[in-house]
């Protein structure tokens, strides 16, 4: 089968493109070039907004997007316990809604022009005070974007709100900002580019309804031109209506990603309007075919020409040297109100290939395209890209630039812990750095389009990505999730994500759904699957498309619609249920098989519970993996959600089925919401890393699996148990060694060799005595690594360590400062839970504190935080240059400090 793969240039502040080429029968070989381009006329308007919760008092205008079904009083999100500003039950009896005025925003992404929406007459909401320039918003809260209105809390301690993180993310929110549009922009096209708004965004400019976008995770553009008044101040107002019970996890609330004002000449490159395909790629050369779609918003025929030059980028993303290739100038005549596609081609010799570290490097280039009309430049794009070759082989899995790369991936939700859903580049980068240290090389965007900047990071750092669009189709998972708008918006939302993201070299496949209810529906469900997969192929024939399945079996219809068999949990099998890998392999021998969600192991960092299970995988039950009093889960890493398995069980299944391409673990980091098994908690227990970014013991179990050449041995539990003297206290060791001997106070506990399908060393009958535990390991009969843990003393002092001692003073750059509770000898006290008070001097600000404890309902902005098993976290930013001093104090432990420098 031959599949032509494409690369495209994208519009907004950042624009992306990718070129891939697919060859082979069962394997799909892709040669990719993915640019990220910068529109010179896009300006951030993310600062200096005013924000208020709720609609104006006494509002009589109906501002709802559409009628919503009432929430079942017996379900999660019941209204009886709802805070005052939350959604309310309504009896809508034919009330007018905004939907007819919002739907036309989808038209650019609806292929069939006959299905385009026609905007009705009228101006709904035009009489609302909040959209008027005269309204005085000085009493509103001043905020900069990205902004998550719910993350400050307080947490909702009572009621069924665990699924959404116990934070008040639902309700109405208004944002206002004036736009100074200069007189020189008269006659130009003016656009609002929103990277993410949670959710049901409706936009007014100068009191006129512009449009909107319901899906909170997608980026969108609105044309402000008919409503803008160049040469004066323009009043922008955005209303969000975030439903209750709209998600299975914490969605956040607000304008939680960046917003840009894009001003363009009437003739300009359209939104996400370019495509580059590389039909041939080798180490010697790559053929780059560029097509660029130009829009003519004017009323006259336009004669234009485009020239493009390609440059190499250094590791910091800066252009270097002279052009490495050029694309010959192309020209076109564009009718008024029409589009034109310009095509060109060039050869890139000896391309530096993009690939995942550590064996490859994420090299990139930049293509600078210049659009000229009448002898003058009217648009310029800087487009970053990478060249790569990818094959999908059903026997081996994923092959990148000729090298077999097992997928060592994680799932991550979009929140960033204590700073919430508001995207922050440094926070996301820190997560990726921690995951890379563990050995991860891939990320699945669960279960929605990510922030564009996150994909820029995965491009830069060399992660492989599965980009995902929906968690539900027509069948609901929660009363107010995407199923309410799927019929009207699925095509526009899917095409929008594909056009925005298709140019990233890090993305290797698309996912059109996660565990959708339509798995059960035979032909009806398969029909939807075929439609979505066809859209993915049409917008991007360069990549495979899949959907994650947790129910569908090999003889059902939905698996026939996808290019890749993506199984959640059922590949390895769930306690007593036979794994489904062999059945899918027999039914689909020409398709790659992978685990889109594996494990879902549960644990609380540093919480060890006794007795310890003898099995390698079991459910969390009272006093068997879980403590019903403290709501903590044992850190021996032997327990999982009822639908999941421990890593040990997953790897045994993978190793017995070597054709499996790899896994995306559920999850890399703990996340807000879905706190299985204790729904009174704020955050999940499934992360390999806790919510604060501190690794759990499972981190080293995965590191041993994913970095087999790294010489280390990790011992658990800690060895400070004053109440367990003389009691059995099992000791486990995580290491990639194949043999190990354990010593307690110098006395051998026996030497163990791993057997087939064993991934840890365990001594289950060690009797606790204070002192020292030491392990000595071997690999291939050669010494490998040793490690020692000792009984520590009582808490005596504190320490602070900043992950970065110098940060930018832009109010966005962050320093993550770790607090440790230490004994007199400087060892972390593993069960310490003292309350820590943080203070700050200088131009810095404490953004949030945390400790990784899923049961901690102290609001994140609090400067007082209990340590959790010896650790706590403070997050610091700066708005001006200078020296910052962060101090920490605890009663009886004194004070400590750390210095951070903020520079312009």
């Amino acid at each position: 089968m031959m599949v032509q793969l494409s690369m495209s240039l994208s519009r907004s502040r950042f624009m992306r493109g990718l070129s891939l080429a697919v060859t082979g029968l069962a394997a799909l070989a892709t040669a990719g070039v993915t640019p990220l381009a910068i529109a010179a006329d896009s300006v951030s308007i993310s600062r200096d907004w005013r924000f208020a919760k709720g609609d104006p008092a006494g509002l009589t205008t109906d501002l709802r997007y559409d009628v919503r079904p009432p929430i079942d009083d017996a379900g999660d999100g019941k209204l009886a316990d709802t805070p005052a500003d939350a959604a309310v039950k309504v009896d809508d009896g034919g009330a007018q809604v905004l939907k007819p005025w919002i739907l036309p925003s989808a038209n650019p992404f609806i292929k069939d022009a006959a299905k385009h929406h026609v905007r009705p007459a009228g101006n709904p909401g035009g009489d609302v005070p909040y959209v008027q320039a005269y309204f005085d918003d000085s009493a509103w809260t001043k905020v900069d974007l990205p902004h998550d209105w719910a993350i400050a809390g307080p947490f909702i301690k009572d009621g069924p709100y665990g699924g959404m993180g116990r934070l008040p993310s639902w309700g109405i929110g208004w944002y206002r900002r004036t736009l100074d549009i200069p007189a020189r922009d008269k006659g130009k096209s003016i656009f609002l580019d929103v990277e993410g708004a949670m959710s049901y965004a409706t936009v007014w400019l100068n009191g006129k309804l512009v449009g909107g976008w319901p899906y909170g995770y997608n980026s969108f553009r609105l044309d402000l031109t008919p409503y803008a008044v160049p040469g004066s101040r323009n009043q922008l107002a955005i209303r969000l209506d975030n439903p209750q019970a709209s998600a299975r996890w914490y969605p956040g609330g607000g304008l939680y990603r960046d917003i840009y004002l894009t001003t363009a000449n009437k003739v300009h490159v359209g939104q996400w309007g370019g495509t580059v395909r590389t039909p041939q790629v080798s180490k010697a050369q790559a053929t780059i075919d560029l097509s660029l779609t130009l829009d003519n918003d004017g009323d006259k025929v336009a004669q234009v020409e485009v020239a493009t030059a390609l440059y190499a980028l250094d590791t910091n993303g800066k252009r270097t040297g002279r052009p490495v290739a050029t694309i010959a100038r192309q020209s076109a005549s564009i009718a008024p109100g029409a589009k034109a596609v310009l095509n060109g081609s060039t050869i890139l010799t000896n391309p530096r290939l993009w690939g995942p570290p550590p064996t490859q490097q994420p090299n990139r280039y930049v293509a600078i395209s210049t659009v000229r009309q009448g002898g003058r430049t009217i648009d310029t794009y800087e487009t970053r890209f990478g060249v790569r070759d990818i094959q999908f082989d059903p026997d081996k899995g994923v092959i990148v630039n000729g090298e077999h790369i097992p997928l060592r991936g994680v799932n991550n939700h979009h929140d960033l812990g204590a700073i919430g859903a508001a995207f922050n580049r440094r926070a996301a980068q820190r997560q990726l750095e921690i995951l890379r240290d563990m050995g991860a090389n891939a990320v699945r965007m669960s279960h929605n389009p990510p922030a564009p900047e996150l994909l820029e990071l995965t491009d830069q750092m060399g992660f492989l990505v599965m980009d995902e669009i929906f968690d539900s189709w027509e069948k609901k998972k929660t009363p107010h999730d995407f199923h309410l708008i799927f019929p009207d918006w699925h095509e526009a939302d899917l095409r929008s994500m594909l056009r925005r993201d298709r140019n990233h070299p890090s993305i290797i496949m698309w996912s059109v759904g996660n565990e959708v209810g339509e798995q059960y529906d035979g032909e009806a469900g398969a029909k939807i699957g075929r439609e979505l997969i066809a859209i993915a192929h049409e917008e991007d024939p360069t990549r495979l498309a899949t959907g994650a399945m947790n129910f569908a079996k090999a003889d059902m219809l939905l698996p026939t619609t996808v290019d890749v068999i993506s199984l959640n949990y059922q590949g390895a099998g769930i306690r007593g249920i036979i794994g489904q890998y062999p059945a899918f392999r027999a039914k689909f021998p020409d398709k790659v098989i992978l685990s889109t969600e594996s494990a879902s192991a549960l644990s609380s960092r540093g919480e060890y519970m006794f007795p310890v299970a003898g099995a390698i995988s079991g459910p969390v039950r009272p006093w068997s993996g879980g403590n019903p009093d403290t709501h903590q889960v044992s850190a021996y890493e032997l327990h999982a959600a009822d639908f999941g398995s421990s890593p040990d069980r997953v790897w045994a299944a993978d190793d017995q089925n070597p054709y499996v391409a790899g896994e995306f673990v559920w999850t890399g980091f703990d996340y807000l919401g879905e706190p299985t098994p204790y729904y009174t908690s704020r955050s999940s227990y499934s992360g390999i890393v806790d919510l604060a970014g501190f690794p759990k013991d499972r981190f080293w179990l995965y590191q041993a699996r994913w970095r087999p050449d790294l010489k280390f041995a990790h011992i658990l539990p800690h060895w400070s148990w004053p109440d367990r003297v003389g009691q059995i206290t099992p000791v486990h060791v995580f290491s990639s060694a194949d043999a190990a001997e354990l010593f307690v106070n110098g006395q051998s506990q026996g030497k163990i060799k791993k057997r087939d399908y064993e991934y840890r060393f365990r001594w289950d009958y060690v009797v606790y005595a204070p002192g020292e535990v030491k392990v000595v390991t071997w690999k291939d009969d050669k010494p490998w690594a040793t490690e020692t843990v000792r009984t520590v003393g009582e808490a005596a002092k504190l320490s602070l360590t900043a992950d970065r001692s110098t940060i930018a003073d832009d109010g966005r750059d962050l320093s993550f400062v770790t607090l440790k509770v230490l004994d007199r000898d400087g060892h972390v006290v593993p069960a310490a839970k003292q309350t820590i008070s943080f203070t700050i001097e200088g131009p810095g600000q404490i953004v949030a504190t945390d400790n990784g404890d899923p049961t901690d309902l102290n609001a994140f902005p609090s400067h007082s935080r209990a340590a959790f098993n010896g650790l706590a976290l403070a997050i610091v930013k700066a708005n001006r240059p200078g020296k910052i001093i962060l101090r920490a104090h605890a009663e009886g432990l004194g004070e400590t400090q750390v210095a951070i420098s903020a520079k312009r």
Side-chain angles (χ1 to χ4, degrees):
M1 141 176 90
M2 174 67 73
V3 180
Q4 189 68 40
L5 303 179
S6 69
M7 163 187 140
S8 62
L9 304 169
S10 316
R11 187 68 167 174
S12 175
R13 177 172 181 257
F14 295 104
M15 292 160 289
R16 306 152 183 89
L18 175 72
S19 162
L20 304 170
V22 180
T23 58
L25 296 174
L28 294 180
T30 67
V33 184
T34 299
L36 172 137
I38 302 172
D41 49 4
S42 289
V43 178
S44 172
I45 56 169
S46 291
R47 292 189 181 273
D48 301 323
W49 289 76
R50 296 286 180 170
F51 165 73
K53 284 294 292 291
D55 281 327
L59 180 68
T60 58
T61 303
D62 189 350
L63 294 179
R64 285 164 294 171
Y65 170 79
D66 200 358
V67 174
R68 291 183 191 140
I71 297 174
D72 184 354
D73 284 340
D76 187 302
K78 64 184 181 181
L79 294 173
D81 299 320
T82 301
D85 63 348
V88 295
K89 279 186 179 179
V90 292
D91 179 7
D92 290 288
Q96 184 185 43
V97 294
L98 298 180
K99 177 178 172 180
W101 287 266
I102 304 299
L103 282 172
S105 302
N107 285 345
F109 304 97
I110 299 174
K111 182 180 179 182
D112 185 353
K115 296 181 180 180
H116 284 189
H117 304 282
V118 178
R119 178 176 171 134
N123 183 38
D127 57 345
V128 176
Y130 289 178
V131 310
Q132 303 298 331
Y134 64 75
F135 177 77
D136 181 5
D137 58 18
S138 60
W140 288 18
T141 304
K142 184 178 179 180
V143 299
D144 291 336
L145 310 183
H147 176 241
D148 178 355
W149 72 45
I151 193 59
F155 285 99
I156 305 168
K157 296 182 180 181
D158 300 318
Y161 302 108
M164 293 178 69
R166 304 208 158 272
L167 288 164
S169 58
W170 50 86
I172 307 297
W174 283 85
Y175 292 82
R176 283 169 50 92
R177 189 189 192 279
T178 57
L179 305 177
D180 291 319
I181 302 176
R184 66 175 178 271
D185 289 339
K186 185 176 182 179
K188 294 185 177 181
S189 294
I190 302 171
F191 303 102
L192 185 72
D193 287 313
V194 180
E195 291 190 342
M198 190 64 67
S199 57
Y200 288 88
T202 306
V203 177
W204 289 263
L205 185 67
N206 297 325
K208 305 296 184 182
L209 177 60
V210 178
W213 202 278
Y215 192 31
Y217 293 104
N218 249 344
S219 302
F220 62 92
R221 164 175 284 186
L222 297 177
D223 187 359
L224 302 182
T225 311
Y227 316 99
V229 183
S232 67
R233 294 169 65 88
N234 293 257
Q235 182 61 57
L236 180 65
I238 301 178
R239 180 184 185 268
L240 303 179
D241 181 5
N242 209 21
Q244 189 186 18
S246 64
R248 298 183 296 125
W249 56 85
Y250 175 71
L255 298 178
Y256 71 108
R257 296 179 188 163
D258 280 316
I259 295 183
Y260 298 90
L261 186 68
T262 300
T263 304
N265 289 295
K266 287 298 184 183
V267 179
H268 57 269
V269 179
Q271 183 191 20
W272 306 321
T275 302
V276 174
R277 294 181 179 175
T278 53
Q280 295 180 342
V281 169
S282 69
K283 292 182 179 179
Q285 66 179 34
T287 301
I288 299 177
D289 297 338
L290 169 67
S291 66
L292 201 64
T293 300
L294 300 178
D295 291 347
N296 181 1
D297 293 344
D299 56 7
K300 297 180 181 179
V301 175
Q303 303 291 334
V304 300
E305 57 183 22
V306 177
T308 301
L310 280 60
Y311 296 83
L313 293 175
D314 63 17
T315 55
N316 296 318
K318 295 182 178 180
R319 192 178 79 186
T320 62
R322 298 175 60 83
V324 295
T326 59
I327 294 178
R329 194 178 304 271
Q330 310 104 48
S331 60
S333 177
I334 313 175
K339 300 177 182 290
V341 178
L342 301 181
N343 298 303
S345 194
T346 190
I347 299 295
L348 184 61
T349 58
N350 301 316
R352 300 181 308 152
L353 300 181
W354 184 98
T359 57
Q360 302 183 43
Q361 295 300 315
N363 298 305
R364 292 176 296 162
Y365 294 88
V366 61
I368 300 179
S369 299
T370 303
V371 183
R372 296 176 65 83
Q373 180 184 19
R376 67 183 184 93
T377 298
I378 59 171
D379 205 354
T380 301
Y381 273 40
E382 293 186 1
T383 306
R384 299 177 185 184
F385 63 93
V387 179
R388 60 176 176 71
D389 177 87
I390 294 181
Q391 297 180 6
F392 287 84
D393 188 307
D395 296 320
K396 297 179 180 179
V398 179
I399 300 171
V400 182
N401 300 323
E403 179 186 1
H404 175 221
I405 303 291
L407 293 177
R408 295 166 175 162
V410 301
N411 288 269
N412 261 5
H413 270 304
H414 76 303
D415 78 73
L416 295 167
I419 64 174
F423 184 81
N424 179 277
R425 180 182 175 90
R426 173 56 199 158
Q429 183 184 46
R430 173 180 179 251
Q431 286 194 344
L432 292 175
E433 289 170 349
I434 292 169
L435 293 171
R436 183 168 60 186
D437 183 49
M438 183 176 67
N441 63 11
V443 180
R444 177 180 176 225
M445 303 300 178
S446 313
H447 303 290
N448 46 259
E453 291 87 350
L454 180 55
L455 294 174
E456 291 153 20
L457 283 170
T458 57
D459 287 348
Q460 181 180 358
M461 299 176 72
F463 281 85
L464 305 176
V465 170
M466 175 184 287
D467 205 3
E468 191 158 74
I469 181 66
F470 301 131
D471 186 51
S472 60
W473 293 349
E474 290 183 343
K475 291 196 167 183
K476 68 180 179 182
K477 294 180 179 178
T478 62
H480 289 160
D481 66 16
F482 189 79
H483 84 280
L484 294 177
I485 56 175
F486 183 90
D488 290 327
W489 284 90
H490 67 274
E491 180 184 2
D493 274 309
L494 179 53
R495 290 189 191 274
S496 174
M497 183 195 78
L498 294 166
R499 292 180 194 177
R500 188 197 72 169
D501 293 351
R502 63 188 172 187
N503 310 309
H504 287 278
S506 55
I507 297 173
I508 61 172
M509 71 183 82
W510 307 109
S511 173
V512 299
N514 173 67
E515 299 181 353
V516 295
E518 285 77 1
Q519 293 173 96
Y520 305 78
D521 286 353
E523 174 56 28
K527 181 179 179 182
I528 297 175
R530 283 192 294 270
E531 178 189 357
L532 297 176
I533 295 293
I535 291 173
H537 289 166
E538 184 177 292
E539 292 289 341
D540 178 22
T542 72
R543 292 182 183 84
L544 304 184
T546 189
M549 299 174 287
N550 67 327
F551 173 83
K553 302 301 186 288
D555 59 352
M556 294 182 176
L557 285 179
L558 190 62
T560 68
T561 69
V562 297
D563 302 323
V564 174
I565 300 297
S566 300
L567 303 178
N568 290 3
Y569 310 111
Q570 60 175 332
I574 304 167
R575 281 182 290 279
I577 299 176
I578 297 174
Q580 296 296 304
Y581 285 142
F584 278 96
R585 173 70 167 178
K587 182 70 173 181
F588 302 101
D590 293 333
K591 291 187 178 184
V592 168
I593 299 174
L594 59 86
S595 181
T596 26
E597 289 181 27
S598 66
S600 196
L602 305 176
S603 61
S604 304
R605 176 183 52 79
E607 294 283 318
Y608 304 96
M609 300 177 191
F610 306 95
V612 176
I616 62 169
S617 184
V620 176
R621 295 293 183 267
W623 311 115
S624 177
N627 186 322
D629 297 331
T630 64
H631 288 188
Q632 303 293 356
V633 179
S634 178
Y636 271 94
E637 309 295 5
L638 292 168
H639 296 271
D642 284 5
F643 52 79
S645 305
S646 71
D648 311 62
R649 181 185 174 101
V650 169
W651 295 335
D654 289 349
D655 289 346
Q656 292 172 61
N657 299 279
Y659 49 85
V660 175
E663 64 177 321
F664 292 90
V665 181
W666 193 266
T667 54
F669 277 71
D670 278 341
Y671 56 96
L672 292 167
E674 285 195 304
T676 303
Y678 300 115
Y679 264 69
T680 57
S681 297
R682 68 180 190 186
S683 52
S684 75
Y685 296 77
S686 59
I688 303 170
V689 182
D690 72 20
L691 198 71
F694 301 135
K696 303 178 186 179
D697 290 281
R698 209 180 327 147
F699 178 95
W700 288 277
L701 185 59
Y702 277 96
Q703 194 174 63
R705 170 77 170 182
W706 288 351
R707 299 182 65 183
D709 296 330
L710 186 64
K711 294 185 177 181
F712 77 94
H714 176 76
I715 299 172
L716 66 146
H718 61 77
W719 209 241
S720 300
W721 299 99
D723 297 330
R724 295 195 62 78
V725 175
Q727 297 185 47
I728 291 176
T729 306
V731 176
H732 292 193
V733 172
F734 301 155
S735 175
S736 59
D738 52 35
E741 186 172 7
L742 188 75
F743 300 86
V744 177
N745 294 326
Q747 183 175 356
S748 176
Q749 305 297 302
K751 185 175 182 179
I752 296 174
K753 292 199 70 173
K754 286 179 184 173
R755 296 173 296 182
D756 289 345
Y757 312 123
E758 288 185 342
Y759 306 94
R760 67 173 76 197
F761 301 101
R762 54 190 298 172
W763 292 264
D764 284 332
Y765 300 100
V766 174
V767 175
Y768 177 76
E772 175 183 283
V773 175
K774 179 180 180 180
V775 68
V776 179
T777 65
W778 295 264
K779 192 170 187 177
D780 299 326
D781 295 323
K782 297 178 181 179
W784 186 249
T786 63
E787 181 65 18
T788 302
V789 297
R790 296 177 177 86
T791 304
V792 305
E794 294 183 355
K797 56 185 177 180
L798 306 174
S799 75
L800 288 173
T801 305
D803 71 333
R804 295 160 72 240
S805 58
T806 301
I807 60 175
D809 68 340
D810 59 3
R812 292 194 173 194
D813 200 7
L814 301 174
S815 181
F816 290 82
V817 183
T818 298
L819 176 133
K820 297 179 180 178
V821 180
L822 307 175
D823 69 1
R824 294 185 183 278
D825 297 323
H827 301 121
V828 174
V829 180
K833 292 180 171 63
Q834 286 84 352
T835 297
I836 313 298
S837 296
F838 294 97
T839 58
I840 197 165
E841 294 180 6
Q845 176 184 341
I846 298 174
V847 178
T849 62
D850 195 12
N851 54 18
D853 178 1
T855 71
D856 186 352
L857 299 185
N858 185 20
F860 288 125
S862 173
H863 292 190
S864 177
R865 180 72 52 184
F868 182 57
N869 294 328
L871 302 178
L873 178 76
I875 305 172
V876 174
K877 71 176 182 179
N879 288 302
R880 54 186 175 87
K883 184 178 181 180
I884 301 167
I885 301 295
L886 178 70
R887 291 187 171 89
H889 176 270
E891 185 175 352
L893 303 182
E895 184 176 276
T896 189
Q897 66 180 44
V898 67
I900 301 168
S901 178
K903 295 186 176 181
R904 194 169 301 280

